[in-house]
Amino acid sequence: MSEGNVAYVLDDVSYEASKFTDEGKIVFARLVEVQKDIQSLTRKIEILQAAAITLNVRLKDQLSEEMKTTLGDVAEAS
């Protein structure tokens, strides 16, 4: 494979993407796009989870004994 070519690896076998059929090239391009979206969304989820942890800590600092209630009194937000 010459420098700059992209390979698709399946079951430890590499396939040169530039040799794919036209349909294969389109499918490969979509697969690459989907993988990038998954990575981006995974990073976003990690950031949102960290934000939720921080917000829960901040909210916990605001709680007092007078605010306590039973689950039957209000709907729980989680």
Side-chain angles (χ1 to χ4, degrees):
M1 186 168 22
S2 62
E3 189 175 312
N5 286 346
V6 177
Y8 173 69
V9 179
L10 178 65
D11 298 330
D12 295 326
V13 178
S14 295
Y15 300 87
E16 193 172 335
S18 65
K19 293 182 179 179
F20 288 177
T21 63
D22 288 344
E23 181 181 358
K25 289 175 184 175
I26 291 169
V27 171
F28 182 70
R30 297 293 185 268
L31 178 60
V32 170
E33 185 178 335
V34 166
Q35 293 291 59
K36 287 180 182 179
D37 286 348
I38 289 170
Q39 289 175 347
S40 176
L41 290 170
T42 299
R43 281 191 299 272
K44 186 169 185 170
I45 288 169
E46 290 169 353
I47 291 167
L48 291 171
Q49 288 173 331
I53 291 168
T54 300
L55 292 169
N56 272 301
V57 168
R58 289 182 61 192
L59 188 57
K60 182 180 175 184
D61 291 342
Q62 303 298 313
L63 302 178
S64 68
E65 285 294 318
E66 297 82 37
M67 296 175 188
K68 283 187 177 180
T69 186
T70 64
L71 290 179
D73 294 340
V74 293
E76 182 179 0
S78 36

